[in-house]
């Protein structure tokens, strides 16, 4: 294939491909990864992808506008923020008058139709018979991500198996809103913040805090990440989390399966996952034994029990029992869906409050109205979190403009169908493009402006919702995120207590002064986000 022909497929010449490899891919390799052996292996992989896989979309969906694979790869390896990628490549496509909010681009599963239309998303997410979930990691057995995420869990199952698990878990998630536990961990956070001097990296701090929350709320395990950030279990989990977020392994999973012996750091991540899974197995066995021996705390309210306990109790009272493997797989999914997502949402909320002090003060006044303005920590009740109207508006607008989840797990069309008048052939992969739908000027007025008023009663969001799913940071339809109410309550408790305790602002030299700068792969996260906090009491 000539340089000209390759450019036609990828948007790059061979010389540009060489620059991409040497300038952006090689520096991502660690330790001895720049050795001749590894460089040759990666070069061979790039060649394979260029000549065999990186082509135009299959003819069945070639009628859709598309973004080439190497254009996406180059953007990711350059670290282009999600917002820049959206403005440069996606919004010009979906904002055209003739476009119905659908376009194609390649990802880890292959060529996928991205759906950024409220009406089309509603049809896709409501018709699970036509658009069932697809295996998100086909052909990746043995990779770190596959070992952590794949399995018989409520996120990935379809049909009767999914319905059985969802039916069992729904009561647990509706009962478990442990606001006292949330509040106690916020107080632990405050004690750590008081010992800090200068700006605080809230991205890191929220990651640590939400790890403690998901550990205690999920299965009554205290990581002590907030107050002991270097302890053994925190390092174990961080090794897993960081390992799954590296672009190299996302684009080249075969390295994880066939060439792991070349990457010492990657082997450490796999060993960390071994330890983590063994720990979960031990917790499950211990919980089952305690319930069998009736070792329960009768004074503990259901909403303060951990999710694992509630699921096991539910199976004892007539619900379908989950196997240890199913419980382990679902606990992993709780971490994946509930840790990084909520941590980054909280970081983004804190950022927008720092950028817009008038909005921060209005939210503080609401917290004082509900919880009082006495100079002492007050933990909200479940009922009080429901009264936080303006704080909830800020949370929802943050999840619109900078929602950590930018797309949902892929669906696969089970038959020939159509979306918004566009033919979708059987077998096509599709995903809801949440971020770009939230930023589409054909849907939202002035979408790049942070405006919580959109979410007041009868406001823009309410009017848009009558015709589809324009706001869906938690997905939608029958497979709406089971932990949505849990996460929103967690955010309200943290933010209301933080507003009463501190005022905060961005440092003058913040890299985020004009716009929040984020990554562009996986869960959206801010680059180092330093905030200056000042105590009120």
């Amino acid at each position: 294939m000539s340089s000209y022909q390759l450019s036609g497929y990828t948007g790059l010449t061979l010389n540009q491909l060489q620059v991409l490899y040497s300038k952006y891919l090689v520096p991502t390799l660690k330790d001895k990864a720049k050795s001749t052996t590894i460089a040759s292996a990666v070069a061979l992989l790039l060649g394979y992808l260029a000549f065999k896989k990186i082509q135009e979309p299959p003819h069945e969906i070639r009628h859709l506008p598309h973004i080439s694979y190497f254009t996406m790869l180059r953007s990711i390896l350059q670290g282009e923020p999600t917002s820049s990628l959206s403005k440069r490549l996606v919004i010009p496509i979906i904002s055209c008058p003739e476009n119905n909010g659908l376009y194609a681009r390649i990802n880890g599963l292959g060529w996928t139709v991205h759906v950024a239309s409220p009406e089309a998303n509603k049809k896709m997410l409501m018709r699970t018979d036509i658009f069932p979930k697809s295996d998100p990691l086909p052909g990746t057995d043995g990779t770190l991500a596959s070992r952590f995420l794949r399995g018989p869990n409520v996120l990935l199952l379809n049909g009767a198996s999914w319905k059985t698990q969802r039916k069992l878990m729904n009561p647990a998630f509706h009962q478990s809103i442990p606001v006292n536990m949330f509040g106690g961990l916020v107080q632990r956070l405050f004690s750590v913040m008081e010992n800090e001097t200068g700006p605080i990296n809230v991205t890191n701090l929220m990651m640590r805090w939400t790890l403690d929350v998901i550990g205690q709320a999920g299965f009554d395990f205290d990581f002590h990440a907030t107050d002991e950030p270097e302890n053994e279990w925190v390092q174990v989990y961080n090794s897993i989390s960081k390992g799954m977020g590296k672009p190299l392994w996302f684009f080249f999973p075969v390295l994880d399966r066939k060439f792991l012996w070349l990457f010492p750091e990657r082997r450490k991540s796999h060993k960390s996952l071994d330890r983590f899974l063994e720990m979960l197995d031990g917790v499950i066995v211990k919980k089952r034994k305690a319930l069998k021996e009736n070792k329960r705390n009768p004074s503990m309210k259901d909403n303060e029990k951990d999710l694992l306990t509630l699921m096991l109790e539910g199976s004892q009272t007539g619900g379908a029992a989950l196997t240890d493997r199913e419980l382990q797989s679902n606990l992993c999914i709780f971490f994946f869906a509930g840790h990084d997502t909520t941590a980054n949402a909280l970081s983004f909320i804190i950022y927008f409050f720092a950028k817009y002090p008038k909005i921060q003060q209005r939210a503080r006044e609401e917290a004082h109205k509900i919880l009082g303005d006495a100079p002492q920590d007050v933990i909200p009740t479940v009922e009080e979190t429901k009264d936080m109207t303006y704080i909830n508006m800020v949370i929802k607008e943050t999840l619109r403009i900078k929602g950590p989840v930018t797309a949902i797990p892929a669906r696969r069309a089970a038959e020939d169908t159509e979306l918004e008048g566009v033919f979708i052939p059987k077998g096509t992969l599709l995903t809801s493009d949440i971020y770009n739908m939230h930023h589409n000027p054909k849907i939202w007025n002035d979408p790049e402006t942070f405006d919580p008023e959109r979410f007041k009663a009868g406001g823009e969001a309410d009017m848009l919702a009558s015709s589809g799913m324009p706001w869906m940071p938690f997905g939608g339809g029958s497979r709406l995120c089971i932990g949505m109410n849990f996460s929103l309550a967690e955010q309200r408790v943290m933010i209301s207590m933080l507003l009463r305790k501190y005022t905060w602002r961005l440092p003058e030299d913040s890299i985020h002064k004009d716009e929040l700068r984020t990554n562009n792969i996986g869960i959206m996260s801010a680059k180092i986000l330093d905030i200056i906090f000042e105590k009120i009491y």
Side-chain angles (χ1 to χ4, degrees):
M1 181 179 288
S2 69
S3 174
Y4 176 80
Q5 288 172 315
L6 182 64
S7 177
Y9 281 117
T10 68
L12 297 174
T13 65
L14 286 174
N15 288 336
Q16 290 171 323
L17 180 58
Q18 183 178 7
V19 170
L20 176 68
Y21 163 70
S22 60
K23 187 174 181 180
Y24 299 115
L25 183 58
V26 170
T28 68
L29 305 176
K30 302 296 183 182
D31 297 322
K32 298 181 180 180
K34 294 183 182 180
S35 68
T36 302
T37 302
I38 298 174
S40 299
V42 176
L44 287 171
L45 284 167
L46 276 172
Y48 171 77
L49 287 170
F51 289 96
K52 297 293 185 181
K53 294 180 69 177
I54 310 310
Q55 303 175 6
E56 291 182 348
H59 70 273
E60 294 89 352
I61 59 171
R62 206 166 292 170
H63 55 289
L64 290 168
H66 67 276
I67 301 170
S68 77
Y69 176 89
F70 266 90
T71 298
M72 290 298 305
L73 176 61
R74 179 170 51 188
S75 170
I76 290 170
L77 293 179
Q78 287 177 333
E80 182 179 20
T82 301
S83 58
S84 173
L85 174 65
S86 171
K87 293 171 188 175
R88 186 172 66 87
L89 296 175
V90 181
I91 296 301
I93 294 174
I94 63 175
S95 62
C96 289
E98 63 273 15
N99 185 269
N100 291 331
L102 279 68
Y103 71 102
R105 73 188 196 207
I106 201 166
N107 58 24
L109 295 176
W111 280 98
T112 303
V113 174
H114 285 241
V115 181
S117 157
E119 296 80 10
N121 272 314
K122 183 175 182 179
K123 177 178 179 179
M124 183 173 72
L125 297 179
M126 296 299 289
R127 293 300 305 272
T128 55
D129 56 332
I130 300 176
F131 302 103
K133 280 197 173 182
S134 174
D135 182 352
L137 299 164
T140 61
D141 289 345
T143 65
L144 191 72
S146 179
R147 292 181 61 209
F148 189 75
L149 299 177
R150 285 180 81 182
N153 59 65
V154 73
L155 181 67
L156 303 181
L157 289 172
N158 281 304
S161 298
W162 169 77
K163 289 180 180 179
T164 298
Q165 287 201 14
R166 182 83 182 208
K167 184 178 180 181
L168 174 64
M169 293 180 190
N170 271 335
F173 273 91
H174 282 98
Q175 292 174 48
S176 182
I177 307 293
V179 291
N180 286 326
M181 184 270 285
F182 295 159
L185 290 176
V186 172
Q187 290 175 317
R188 178 190 288 182
L189 181 84
F190 289 164
S191 66
V192 170
M193 292 175 66
E194 288 187 5
N195 293 323
E196 297 282 348
T197 58
I200 294 175
N201 180 348
V202 297
T203 305
N204 175 271
L205 192 63
M206 292 302 108
M207 285 289 185
R208 289 154 51 192
W209 184 78
T210 53
L211 182 56
D212 285 344
V213 169
I214 202 69
Q216 289 199 29
F219 52 96
D220 195 25
F221 183 87
D222 195 344
F223 282 90
H224 281 286
T226 305
D227 52 332
E228 299 175 16
E230 301 301 323
N231 77 56
E232 183 180 12
W233 279 112
V234 173
Q235 291 185 40
V236 166
Y237 184 77
N238 286 344
S239 174
I240 300 166
S241 181
K242 290 176 181 178
M244 290 198 300
K246 292 182 178 179
L248 176 66
W249 308 96
F250 173 80
F251 282 102
F252 308 113
V254 69
L255 293 176
D256 221 356
R257 301 175 62 240
K258 303 294 186 181
F259 299 94
L260 191 60
W261 56 276
L262 291 171
F263 300 91
E265 283 300 312
R266 193 65 173 180
R267 293 201 303 272
K268 288 181 182 178
S269 293
H270 277 271
K271 289 179 180 178
S272 293
L273 181 56
D274 290 339
R275 290 199 61 203
F276 185 76
L277 295 177
E278 288 172 3
M279 182 266 285
L280 292 183
D281 286 340
V283 170
I284 292 168
V285 170
K286 185 178 178 180
K287 287 282 184 184
R288 283 195 188 278
K289 182 179 179 182
L291 289 174
K292 186 176 181 180
E293 296 174 355
N294 204 29
K295 293 180 179 178
R296 313 182 192 191
N297 183 349
S299 64
M300 180 176 285
K301 297 179 180 179
D302 281 348
N303 71 295
E304 294 293 330
K305 293 179 181 178
D306 63 88
L307 292 166
L308 177 57
T309 295
L310 289 170
M311 286 189 292
L312 289 172
E313 287 181 349
S315 65
Q316 286 187 342
T317 57
L322 295 179
T323 66
D324 287 358
R325 177 70 183 97
E326 289 171 328
L327 289 168
Q328 183 206 70
S329 182
N330 277 291
L331 288 176
C332 287
I333 288 299
F334 296 163
F335 272 89
F336 173 73
H339 173 231
D340 286 12
T341 52
T342 301
N344 286 300
L346 286 166
S347 298
F348 298 161
I349 294 165
I350 291 169
Y351 165 79
F352 285 114
F353 275 138
K355 188 173 182 180
Y356 302 108
K358 290 183 179 179
I359 292 175
Q360 180 184 155
Q361 182 54 31
R362 181 174 170 186
R364 181 172 295 107
E365 289 169 359
E366 180 177 76
H368 284 157
K369 180 179 178 182
I370 295 170
L371 304 176
D373 58 2
Q376 61 188 35
D377 297 342
V378 178
I379 299 175
T381 64
V382 173
E383 291 71 25
E384 286 170 334
T385 63
K386 296 176 182 178
D387 291 335
M388 297 176 183
T389 304
Y390 188 70
I391 290 173
N392 198 48
M393 288 162 56
V394 174
I395 291 172
K396 286 186 172 183
E397 175 65 347
T398 301
L399 291 173
R400 181 197 67 82
I401 201 168
K402 283 291 185 284
V405 179
T406 58
I408 66 169
R411 268 57 174 167
R412 188 182 293 274
E415 60 186 55
D416 288 349
T417 185
E418 61 82 28
L419 288 174
E420 291 296 285
V422 177
F423 175 64
I424 304 295
K426 179 180 179 180
T428 300
L429 287 166
L430 306 98
T431 184
S432 294
D433 192 337
I434 298 170
Y435 183 90
N436 287 298
M437 183 174 67
H438 287 178
H439 289 259
N440 190 344
K442 289 171 64 176
I443 301 169
W444 296 91
N445 295 322
D446 198 9
E448 300 302 323
T449 297
F450 184 79
D451 182 13
E453 295 297 320
R454 299 179 198 273
F455 290 92
K456 67 182 179 182
E460 181 183 8
D462 281 353
M463 290 187 287
L464 288 171
S466 63
S467 60
M469 294 179 178
W471 182 82
M472 43 182 295
F474 297 95
S478 61
R479 303 198 69 145
L480 180 73
C481 175
I482 196 171
M484 180 180 74
N485 291 331
F486 181 98
S487 176
L488 290 174
E490 182 182 351
Q491 293 176 57
R492 292 177 195 131
V493 171
M494 161 61 84
I495 292 301
S496 62
M497 293 181 69
L498 196 66
L499 285 164
R500 294 182 72 257
K501 184 83 169 184
Y502 294 95
T503 62
W504 60 89
R505 56 188 169 83
L506 290 169
E508 288 298 320
D509 60 350
S510 173
I511 63 171
H512 305 282
K513 195 167 186 178
D514 296 324
E515 183 179 12
L516 188 63
R517 298 181 63 183
T518 68
N519 64 344
N520 60 4
I521 185 171
I523 301 299
M524 188 159 63
S525 176
K527 300 179 187 295
I528 298 173
L529 178 56
D530 288 336
I531 297 290
I532 297 172
F533 289 90
E534 296 178 2
K535 285 182 65 175
I536 296 174
Y537 64 85

